[in-house]
Amino acid sequence: MRRIRLLAGVTAAVVAAATLSAPAHAADPVAADTGRDGTQAAMLAYRTVYPTISDSAAQLAAVQQDTRKQLHDKLAAEPQTYGGGYFDPPSGVTHVALTTQASAERAVAAGRALGLTVSAKVVARSYDELERLAASVRTGTDQLAVAAKGRVGIEVSSNTVTVALTSQEAASLPSSAIPGWVTIVPASADLVELDICSSRAACNDSLRSGLSIRHSGGACSLGFTARSGSVRYAFTAGHCGTGAPTTWYTAGTLIGTMSTAINSGAVDAGLIKVTNPTYAADTVGRIAISASSWVPVRGRAHHMSFIWAGDVVCISSRYQAPATSGNPCGVIASVSDAAQNGLTRYEGYDPCPGDSGGGVYWLPSSGERHAFGLHSRSIVGCNNTASNKKKAWFSAVPNFWNTMNYDLG
């Protein structure tokens, strides 16, 4: 049986972990963002997740990431017809979903003009409608919602809301309780374990994604920073909080107090109000590449449909992968994974204890890194080499950031 690690915090299905030492180093190469051109890291990420992909296909997949987002931006300008998209790296085909034949034909033409190979499918529902339907199941009180227990996601390829049920739960539901826009997928039988780490040295001259942060109850990783007017905030995983306001530090230096923490469904985010005047005065959003180097955050995903399966993402957190000089990278496999309550799944790297809350960001070939989410959980282990254990999940930025109306910085 596989077990999935929830990195720090308490849930209903938690197995306590003993005090953990520094992770053992694996020898296999890991795709990593070194702060330079992201093409080589993205190519390695694709080859890690898709072992049979050709070098030419991996390179094309890497260099066209920005171009695929250009197509997204064009299609998302008409949200009533846009059903989302995803990318298949081995074939090099960009798949998009539209609600009318005319919009599908325009999408193919727009992709062709950008040099992309596009397959457009006419579907019944826009992405915004899928999100509304998914929310209705998560918050509903009917038989399906009760059975789902929040295990609700979205699958662009089938244009449906996915609900993860055990075989017993599925058998107990009459067919009349399952709408035509719902696809039932197997629920995970994985156990979840508590993961609180020992301390690790971290820089404290500025706040940056990837720093080790601590409070009296344990340690997690710093995600992205944000501003609302003159007030600055720092994000980490919501389950890192203890339910009451907690004061957070990095390398012994005060950051501020977390008074808002959400760990429900697809949102696992905690908000620390920065009260340290030095940190509060800073206006630059940073991603740590090493203890002494960083790169700026250039943007964020404003809508869930901007995040595609097939995108390369990297994580900046407490522990770095062995045999790398930068942040480890992987490939998004599911934008909204019902088996993990709609969190986004990425594959190709197995994070370590204490990585919760670390910033997960998109790495296109342009090097303009965009905030995609906060690391939440992964298959139990640390730098596992087995391909079936290199899986992790993050809480996507659009699911919490937009409601808070914050700017980067």
Side-chain angles (χ1 to χ4, degrees):
M1 179 184 294
R2 292 180 303 129
R3 295 193 299 166
I4 290 178
R5 179 174 67 248
L6 180 63
L7 304 184
V10 179
T11 68
V14 168
V15 179
T19 301
L20 297 167
S21 59
H25 282 185
D28 63 327
V30 176
D33 175 17
T34 61
R36 297 182 289 275
D37 174 23
T39 302
Q40 293 302 315
M43 288 177 63
L44 181 53
Y46 282 124
R47 287 197 294 263
T48 299
V49 177
Y50 302 94
T52 62
I53 194 172
S54 67
D55 287 346
S56 59
Q59 182 177 30
L60 186 65
V63 300
Q64 285 187 336
Q65 286 199 96
D66 292 285
T67 308
R68 293 194 292 271
K69 291 309 182 203
Q70 291 178 42
L71 178 63
H72 162 272
D73 290 345
K74 185 175 182 64
L75 302 182
E78 299 180 6
Q80 69 278 8
T81 63
Y82 183 46
Y86 63 98
F87 174 63
D88 179 52
S91 68
V93 176
T94 297
H95 296 265
V96 291
L98 291 307
T99 60
T100 68
Q101 184 62 39
S103 58
E105 292 172 357
R106 290 195 298 271
V108 172
R112 186 183 304 118
L114 291 169
L116 300 173
T117 301
V118 174
S119 174
K121 179 181 179 180
V122 178
V123 297
R125 292 163 285 274
S126 69
Y127 199 98
D128 284 353
E129 184 176 357
L130 287 175
E131 287 199 310
R132 288 192 293 271
L133 291 170
S136 73
V137 179
R138 292 189 183 104
T139 60
T141 57
D142 59 12
Q143 285 179 290
L144 178 63
V146 171
K149 301 181 181 69
R151 299 177 307 230
V152 182
I154 291 172
E155 182 54 58
V156 170
S157 62
S158 63
N159 192 236
T160 60
V161 171
T162 50
V163 176
L165 301 177
T166 65
S167 57
Q168 293 84 358
E169 289 168 340
S172 69
L173 283 178
S175 58
S176 59
I178 305 174
W181 41 266
V182 167
T183 298
I184 303 299
V185 298
S188 170
D190 301 319
L191 297 177
V192 175
E193 72 174 5
L194 182 67
D195 187 1
I196 298 178
C197 300
S198 59
S199 63
R200 180 180 175 181
C203 66
N204 61 358
D205 62 336
S206 64
L207 296 182
R208 57 188 73 175
S209 176
L211 293 189
S212 171
I213 59 175
R214 298 190 65 84
H215 67 91
S216 59
C220 280
S221 297
L222 182 69
F224 302 102
T225 53
R227 304 196 70 85
S228 178
S230 60
V231 181
R232 196 180 193 207
Y233 296 90
F235 283 99
T236 189
H239 71 257
C240 292
T242 60
T246 51
T247 302
W248 289 82
Y249 300 83
T250 178
T253 301
L254 173 70
I255 299 174
T257 300
M258 177 192 291
S259 57
T260 300
I262 303 172
N263 182 21
S264 176
V267 177
D268 185 4
L271 193 64
I272 302 169
K273 182 178 180 180
V274 179
T275 54
N276 181 311
T278 300
Y279 294 155
D282 196 359
T283 59
V284 179
R286 296 173 169 85
I287 297 171
I289 298 296
S290 68
S292 58
S293 67
W294 57 272
V295 292
V297 186
R298 294 298 190 188
R300 63 179 174 89
H302 289 266
H303 192 280
M304 284 301 297
S305 68
F306 187 79
I307 302 174
W308 286 10
D311 285 343
V312 171
V313 290
C314 306
I315 175 173
S316 184
S317 56
R318 281 168 54 92
Y319 292 123
Q320 291 176 311
T324 71
S325 58
N327 293 327
C329 306
V331 180
I332 292 178
S334 175
V335 170
S336 182
D337 188 350
Q340 291 298 319
N341 300 342
L343 293 169
T344 301
R345 186 175 82 247
Y346 61 110
E347 301 182 2
Y349 174 62
D350 170 41
C352 293
D355 285 343
S356 273
V360 179
Y361 58 95
W362 178 43
L363 181 68
S365 56
S366 66
E368 291 207 349
R369 296 154 183 84
H370 290 234
F372 265 22
L374 303 173
H375 181 66
S376 177
R377 61 196 70 182
S378 66
I379 299 294
V380 169
C382 179
N383 294 324
N384 272 310
T385 61
S387 60
N388 66 339
K389 292 187 177 181
K390 293 182 178 182
K391 296 179 182 179
W393 289 260
F394 66 84
S395 179
V397 158
N399 284 329
F400 58 86
W401 199 303
N402 291 347
T403 62
M404 297 174 180
N405 197 32
Y406 296 140
D407 297 321
L408 286 167

